[in-house]
Amino acid sequence: MDPRMFSSDIGRPRFFFYSAALLVAEIVTFVLCVVLTIGIEGLANSKPGPSREGLAAAVLVASLVIVLFRANFAWRRSRDAQGSGWILWSYIVFSTLFAILQAGTVLVVEFDGDESHSGPNLLGLALIGLWAVILAAKPAGGSSSDMASSLSFDDFDPPGPLRGAAAPHSESAAGVAALAPAYAMRAAPVPSNHPASHPASPANGRPRAGGFGKRGLV
Protein backbone atom coordinates (compact mmCIF):
# COMPACT_ATOMS: atom_id res chain seq x y z
CA MET A 1 0.00 0.00 0.00
CA ASP A 2 1.37 3.39 -0.99
CA PRO A 3 1.76 5.62 2.12
CA ARG A 4 1.02 8.68 -0.03
CA MET A 5 -2.53 7.40 -0.31
CA PHE A 6 -3.25 8.87 3.15
CA SER A 7 -0.99 11.93 2.94
CA SER A 8 -1.53 13.49 -0.49
CA ASP A 9 -3.66 16.59 -0.91
CA ILE A 10 -7.20 16.16 -2.17
CA GLY A 11 -9.42 18.63 -4.00
CA ARG A 12 -13.11 19.35 -3.75
CA PRO A 13 -14.48 16.44 -5.86
CA ARG A 14 -12.39 13.80 -4.09
CA PHE A 15 -13.22 15.22 -0.66
CA PHE A 16 -16.93 15.15 -1.49
CA PHE A 17 -16.91 11.57 -2.78
CA TYR A 18 -14.67 10.36 0.06
CA SER A 19 -17.05 11.92 2.60
CA ALA A 20 -20.07 10.35 0.89
CA ALA A 21 -18.39 6.93 0.85
CA LEU A 22 -17.46 7.36 4.51
CA LEU A 23 -21.06 8.18 5.42
CA VAL A 24 -22.26 4.99 3.71
CA ALA A 25 -19.53 3.01 5.49
CA GLU A 26 -20.61 4.50 8.83
CA ILE A 27 -24.23 3.46 8.30
CA VAL A 28 -23.19 -0.06 7.25
CA THR A 29 -20.86 -0.33 10.26
CA PHE A 30 -23.62 0.72 12.65
CA VAL A 31 -25.96 -1.92 11.23
CA LEU A 32 -23.25 -4.56 11.53
CA CYS A 33 -22.63 -3.59 15.16
CA VAL A 34 -26.30 -4.02 15.93
CA VAL A 35 -26.54 -7.35 14.10
CA LEU A 36 -23.39 -8.77 15.68
CA THR A 37 -24.33 -7.79 19.25
CA ILE A 38 -28.02 -7.99 20.12
CA GLY A 39 -29.68 -8.01 16.70
CA ILE A 40 -32.26 -5.70 15.18
CA GLU A 41 -35.18 -7.33 17.02
CA GLY A 42 -33.26 -7.42 20.29
CA LEU A 43 -32.47 -3.72 20.00
CA ALA A 44 -36.12 -2.88 19.33
CA ASN A 45 -37.31 -4.90 22.36
CA SER A 46 -34.47 -3.99 24.71
CA LYS A 47 -34.58 -1.41 27.48
CA PRO A 48 -31.96 1.26 28.07
CA GLY A 49 -29.29 0.13 30.45
CA PRO A 50 -26.79 -2.69 30.85
CA SER A 51 -28.35 -4.79 28.09
CA ARG A 52 -26.99 -2.35 25.50
CA GLU A 53 -23.53 -1.85 26.89
CA GLY A 54 -21.95 -4.23 24.36
CA LEU A 55 -23.70 -2.46 21.50
CA ALA A 56 -22.69 0.97 22.79
CA ALA A 57 -19.04 -0.10 23.10
CA ALA A 58 -19.01 -1.53 19.58
CA VAL A 59 -20.62 1.62 18.15
CA LEU A 60 -18.13 3.81 20.02
CA VAL A 61 -15.08 1.95 18.68
CA ALA A 62 -16.44 1.87 15.12
CA SER A 63 -17.38 5.54 15.27
CA LEU A 64 -13.91 6.55 16.48
CA VAL A 65 -12.34 4.64 13.60
CA ILE A 66 -14.63 6.50 11.22
CA VAL A 67 -13.57 9.76 12.89
CA LEU A 68 -9.92 8.95 12.12
CA PHE A 69 -10.70 8.61 8.43
CA ARG A 70 -12.86 11.73 8.49
CA ALA A 71 -10.09 13.72 10.17
CA ASN A 72 -7.57 12.47 7.62
CA PHE A 73 -9.73 13.55 4.69
CA ALA A 74 -10.41 16.95 6.27
CA TRP A 75 -6.71 17.49 7.03
CA ARG A 76 -5.66 16.68 3.45
CA ARG A 77 -8.40 18.91 2.01
CA SER A 78 -7.53 21.77 4.37
CA ARG A 79 -3.85 21.49 3.49
CA ASP A 80 -4.69 21.62 -0.23
CA ALA A 81 -6.57 24.90 0.30
CA GLN A 82 -4.38 26.17 3.15
CA GLY A 83 -7.51 26.53 5.24
CA SER A 84 -7.82 27.88 8.73
CA GLY A 85 -6.49 25.63 11.48
CA TRP A 86 -9.29 26.33 13.93
CA ILE A 87 -11.90 25.18 11.41
CA LEU A 88 -10.06 21.90 10.89
CA TRP A 89 -9.57 21.22 14.59
CA SER A 90 -13.14 22.24 15.39
CA TYR A 91 -14.33 19.73 12.81
CA ILE A 92 -12.16 16.97 14.31
CA VAL A 93 -13.16 17.72 17.92
CA PHE A 94 -16.86 17.98 17.08
CA SER A 95 -16.67 14.68 15.15
CA THR A 96 -15.14 12.99 18.19
CA LEU A 97 -17.79 14.40 20.51
CA PHE A 98 -20.52 13.34 18.09
CA ALA A 99 -19.17 9.76 18.06
CA ILE A 100 -19.23 9.67 21.88
CA LEU A 101 -22.73 11.10 22.06
CA GLN A 102 -23.90 8.66 19.39
CA ALA A 103 -22.74 5.71 21.49
CA GLY A 104 -24.36 7.24 24.57
CA THR A 105 -27.62 7.77 22.69
CA VAL A 106 -27.72 4.10 21.69
CA LEU A 107 -27.25 3.24 25.35
CA VAL A 108 -30.17 5.33 26.67
CA VAL A 109 -32.60 5.78 23.76
CA GLU A 110 -36.14 4.37 23.99
CA PHE A 111 -37.60 3.40 20.62
CA ASP A 112 -41.18 3.41 21.86
CA GLY A 113 -40.92 6.92 23.29
CA ASP A 114 -41.14 10.37 21.79
CA GLU A 115 -37.79 11.71 22.91
CA SER A 116 -35.73 14.30 21.06
CA HIS A 117 -32.04 14.72 21.76
CA SER A 118 -31.15 18.35 21.00
CA GLY A 119 -27.47 17.91 21.85
CA PRO A 120 -26.52 15.51 19.03
CA ASN A 121 -28.85 17.32 16.64
CA LEU A 122 -27.17 20.72 17.19
CA LEU A 123 -23.74 19.13 17.06
CA GLY A 124 -24.65 17.40 13.82
CA LEU A 125 -25.71 20.73 12.27
CA ALA A 126 -22.41 22.30 13.36
CA LEU A 127 -20.51 19.41 11.76
CA ILE A 128 -22.40 19.88 8.49
CA GLY A 129 -21.54 23.58 8.49
CA LEU A 130 -17.83 22.97 9.16
CA TRP A 131 -17.73 20.25 6.51
CA ALA A 132 -19.28 22.64 3.97
CA VAL A 133 -16.68 25.32 4.79
CA ILE A 134 -13.83 22.84 4.29
CA LEU A 135 -15.37 21.61 1.03
CA ALA A 136 -15.91 25.12 -0.38
CA ALA A 137 -12.37 26.33 0.37
CA LYS A 138 -10.52 27.38 -2.79
CA PRO A 139 -7.21 25.77 -3.69
CA ALA A 140 -4.16 27.68 -2.45
CA GLY A 141 -2.70 28.32 -5.91
CA GLY A 142 -6.01 29.25 -7.51
CA SER A 143 -7.30 27.94 -10.82
CA SER A 144 -6.29 29.33 -14.18
CA SER A 145 -9.70 30.96 -14.63
CA ASP A 146 -9.41 32.73 -11.27
CA MET A 147 -5.94 33.94 -12.13
CA ALA A 148 -7.03 35.15 -15.58
CA SER A 149 -10.02 37.02 -14.17
CA SER A 150 -7.80 38.84 -11.69
CA LEU A 151 -5.71 40.36 -14.52
CA SER A 152 -7.16 43.41 -16.28
CA PHE A 153 -5.00 44.98 -18.97
CA ASP A 154 -7.63 47.58 -19.83
CA ASP A 155 -7.13 49.36 -16.54
CA PHE A 156 -3.35 49.20 -16.66
CA ASP A 157 -1.77 52.29 -15.17
CA PRO A 158 1.97 52.77 -14.64
CA PRO A 159 3.25 53.36 -11.12
CA GLY A 160 3.20 56.80 -9.57
CA PRO A 161 6.81 57.87 -10.35
CA LEU A 162 6.57 56.73 -13.95
CA ARG A 163 3.16 58.31 -14.40
CA GLY A 164 4.39 61.65 -12.99
CA ALA A 165 7.44 61.65 -15.24
CA ALA A 166 5.52 60.71 -18.39
CA ALA A 167 3.03 63.57 -18.15
CA PRO A 168 5.55 66.49 -18.40
CA HIS A 169 7.36 64.67 -21.17
CA SER A 170 4.17 64.34 -23.21
CA GLU A 171 3.28 67.99 -22.66
CA SER A 172 6.74 69.20 -23.76
CA ALA A 173 6.57 66.96 -26.83
CA ALA A 174 3.20 68.46 -27.77
CA GLY A 175 4.56 72.00 -27.32
CA VAL A 176 7.55 71.29 -29.55
CA ALA A 177 5.25 69.82 -32.21
CA ALA A 178 3.05 72.96 -32.10
CA LEU A 179 5.95 75.40 -32.32
CA ALA A 180 7.84 73.50 -34.99
CA PRO A 181 6.05 75.06 -38.06
CA ALA A 182 6.53 78.67 -36.87
CA TYR A 183 10.16 78.08 -36.03
CA ALA A 184 10.72 76.43 -39.40
CA MET A 185 9.20 79.42 -41.15
CA ARG A 186 11.49 81.84 -39.33
CA ALA A 187 14.63 79.82 -39.80
CA ALA A 188 14.02 78.78 -43.43
CA PRO A 189 16.83 80.11 -45.71
CA VAL A 190 15.90 82.53 -48.53
CA PRO A 191 16.66 81.18 -52.02
CA SER A 192 19.40 82.93 -53.96
CA ASN A 193 17.05 83.80 -56.83
CA HIS A 194 14.48 85.37 -54.52
CA PRO A 195 14.05 89.15 -55.00
CA ALA A 196 14.83 89.73 -51.34
CA SER A 197 18.37 88.50 -51.91
CA HIS A 198 19.11 91.50 -54.21
CA PRO A 199 18.28 94.71 -52.33
CA ALA A 200 19.44 96.98 -55.13
CA SER A 201 17.58 95.26 -57.94
CA PRO A 202 14.72 97.06 -59.74
CA ALA A 203 12.39 94.45 -58.57
CA ASN A 204 12.56 96.00 -55.15
CA GLY A 205 11.11 99.30 -56.44
CA ARG A 206 14.36 101.26 -56.14
CA PRO A 207 16.39 102.21 -59.33
CA ARG A 208 20.05 101.62 -59.32
CA ALA A 209 21.95 104.82 -58.60
CA GLY A 210 23.90 106.39 -61.47
CA GLY A 211 27.59 107.08 -61.40
CA PHE A 212 30.47 108.56 -63.39
CA GLY A 213 32.15 106.24 -65.75
CA LYS A 214 35.23 106.61 -67.90
CA ARG A 215 33.16 108.03 -70.75
CA GLY A 216 31.26 110.54 -68.69
CA LEU A 217 27.90 110.62 -67.06
CA VAL A 218 25.83 107.58 -67.68
Side-chain angles (χ1 to χ4, degrees):
M1 181 180 296
D2 191 353
R4 292 177 298 179
M5 179 179 178
F6 298 99
S7 61
S8 61
D9 298 345
I10 57 178
R12 294 175 183 171
R14 291 176 61 188
F15 179 71
F16 178 82
F17 288 115
Y18 286 178
S19 299
L22 197 61
L23 178 61
V24 175
E26 186 176 9
I27 296 174
V28 172
T29 302
F30 179 82
V31 174
L32 289 177
C33 289
V34 173
V35 172
L36 295 177
T37 52
I38 61 177
I40 301 295
E41 185 177 357
L43 177 62
N45 297 326
S46 63
K47 297 295 182 181
S51 60
R52 299 182 184 175
E53 289 181 354
L55 174 61
V59 170
L60 178 60
V61 172
S63 298
L64 291 178
V65 173
I66 296 295
V67 168
L68 291 178
F69 284 96
R70 185 174 287 118
N72 178 264
F73 297 156
W75 168 65
R76 293 161 62 186
R77 175 69 187 102
S78 180
R79 187 179 63 180
D80 175 70
Q82 293 184 359
S84 178
W86 72 269
I87 294 179
L88 173 63
W89 285 107
S90 298
Y91 180 75
I92 295 174
V93 171
F94 286 1
S95 298
T96 305
L97 292 177
F98 187 82
I100 296 174
L101 290 178
Q102 188 176 22
T105 302
V106 171
L107 187 62
V108 299
V109 67
E110 293 183 3
F111 296 102
D112 56 351
D114 191 15
E115 298 181 358
S116 62
H117 303 277
S118 59
N121 294 335
L122 294 177
L123 192 57
L125 292 176
L127 280 174
I128 294 175
L130 292 173
W131 176 85
V133 171
I134 296 174
L135 174 66
K138 294 182 178 180
S143 61
S144 58
S145 59
D146 296 337
M147 295 177 65
S149 62
S150 63
L151 297 176
S152 178
F153 295 98
D154 296 335
D155 301 332
F156 176 76
D157 196 8
L162 295 179
R163 182 172 60 251
H169 178 73
S170 60
E171 292 177 359
S172 61
V176 171
L179 295 177
Y183 176 77
M185 292 177 64
R186 291 198 303 266
V190 180
S192 59
N193 57 356
H194 195 274
S197 62
H198 301 282
S201 63
N204 292 332
R206 293 180 297 174
R208 185 169 53 183
F212 290 95
K214 294 181 180 180
R215 297 181 181 181
L217 182 62
V218 178

